[in-house]
């Protein structure tokens, strides 16, 4: 077999690996041996690149590498801070979010990352359709027969909130499905598909999703200098699509269950400020995300300097709220479900500062508008939910890195593969 043919086949395998990684990274229902499935194709991609026998270092990767090292340092320190079962959990968590990502950076050239970006984001785009389909199936089965589809297929029940099934997609939390829908909305240029993804996000009643979508809309308005441009020349096809979407929305709003979901969304936003009526720390009535912010400063004041700087361990920030406030004392190791608070307590001021420095650096230096919006979505999401657990925020930061202008200019940005 000719060398060129072998190289072509290897490149195809690498592209498939990143496509699968992107597709499954928002679907924690798929796991093998306690590790989410997306890690396995990513590991294969790294192994293939490792066999080239080259390490790629560049100034564009430096600050990101420092961030990943700091996450691992927090894990090492956790062995002298938290109980053994918590530190062991932090080590497993750190393997996928730090060690694996450091290896990805080291064995990938700038060209690899630019080419790989295309396939990784395409995988996420396809995942958005899969999540949307599953959300609709969840609603359909629950409406017709009270059947929890995730319980039947995957063996783990979806949450029941406000008397209705929480539409979580191929996940146990709404936000994982939501980020796929939002990224799909960003990546597509098809206006009809954008509307469908937004509608799917609203159907889940996710505050995180609605908050991110609102920020993206504001961003679009700001970059157009506050002017909304209307196209006068609307084709009959597009006019038919817009009218169909409007009629579909009107029809859906006539359904009592759909209207209840929208009403519930409003209630959930109100609870961000009121916290509900029951203020016991483990009550389902109180909004835990409010407590996480309320407890942050009092917690920091009680910590020694080393923990303020480096945290109590990557992925186990919940330990502090368990011992200080009795939050979830029986569930074992857990991380705070808000990245902003989780980073400060789990990885310290140093880790949190490095994370937001890299996020903002990528956002401001990246010239591609779609990639900017992706970083904006991740940035806004950190204040409302935790995306670190699925590694998607770190993976997106790596594949959205603003690399050298010469190489970036060779990339055609058909990111969705439409």
């Amino acid at each position: 077999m000719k060398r060129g043919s072998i190289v072509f086949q290897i490149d195809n395998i690498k592209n498939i690996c990143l496509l699968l990684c992107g597709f499954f990274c928002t679907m924690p229902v798929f796991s093998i041996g306690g590790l989410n499935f997306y890690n396995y194709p990513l590991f294969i991609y790294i192994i293939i690149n490792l066999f080239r026998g080259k390490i790629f270092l560049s100034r564009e990767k430096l600050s990101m590498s420092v961030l990943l090292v700091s996450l691992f340092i927090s894990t090492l320190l956790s062995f002298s801070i938290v109980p053994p079962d918590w530190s062991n959990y932090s080590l497993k968590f750190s393997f996928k979010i730090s060690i694996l990502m450091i290896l990805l950076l080291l064995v990938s050239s700038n060209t690899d990352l630019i080419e790989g970006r295309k396939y990784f984001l395409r995988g996420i785009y396809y995942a958005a359709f899969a999540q949307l389909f599953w959300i609709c199936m969840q609603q359909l089965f629950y409406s017709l027969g009270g059947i929890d589809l995730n319980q039947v297929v995957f063996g783990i029940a979806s949450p029941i909130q406000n008397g209705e099934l929480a539409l979580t997609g191929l996940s146990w939390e709404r936000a994982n499905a939501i980020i796929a829908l939002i990224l799909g909305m960003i990546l597509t240029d098809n206006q009809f598909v954008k509307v469908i993804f937004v509608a799917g996000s609203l159907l889940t009643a996710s505050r995180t999703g609605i908050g991110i979508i609102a920020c993206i809309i504001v961003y679009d308005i700001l970059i157009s200098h506050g002017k909304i441009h209307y196209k006068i020349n609307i084709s009959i096809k597009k006019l038919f699509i817009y009218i169909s979407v409007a009629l579909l929305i009107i029809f859906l709003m006539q359904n009592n269950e759909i209207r209840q979901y929208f009403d519930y969304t409003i209630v959930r936003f109100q609870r961000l400020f009121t916290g509900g009526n029951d203020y016991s720390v483990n009550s389902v009535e109180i909004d835990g995300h409010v407590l996480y912010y309320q407890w942050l400063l009092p917690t920091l004041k009680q910590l020694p300097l080393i923990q303020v700087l480096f945290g109590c361990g990557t992925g186990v920030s919940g330990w502090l709220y368990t011992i200080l406030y009795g939050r979830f004392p029986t569930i074992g190791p857990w991380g705070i479900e808000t990245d902003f608070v989780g980073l400060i307590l789990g990885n310290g001021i140093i880790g949190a500062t490095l994370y937001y420095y890299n996020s903002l650096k990528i956002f401001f230096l990246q010239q591609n508008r779609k990639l900017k919006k992706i970083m904006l979505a991740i940035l806004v999401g950190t204040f409302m939910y935790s995306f670190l657990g699925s590694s998607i925020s770190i993976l997106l930061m790596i594949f959205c890195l603003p690399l050298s202008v010469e190489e970036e200019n060779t990339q055609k940005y058909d990111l969705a593969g439409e």
Side-chain angles (χ1 to χ4, degrees), residues 124-138:
I124 292 179
Y125 181 67
Y126 296 154
F129 287 99
Q131 293 281 18
L132 180 63
F133 171 78
W134 198 254
I135 286 170
C136 293
M137 289 299 99
Q138 281 185 296

Side-chain angles (χ1 to χ4, degrees), residues 29 134 138 146-159 165 168-169 171-172:
V29 295
W134 198 254
Q138 281 185 296
I147 299 172
D148 178 356
L149 202 56
N150 279 356
Q151 171 73 60
V152 173
V153 177
F154 302 110
I156 299 180
S158 300
L165 186 76
T168 59
S171 173
W172 319 125

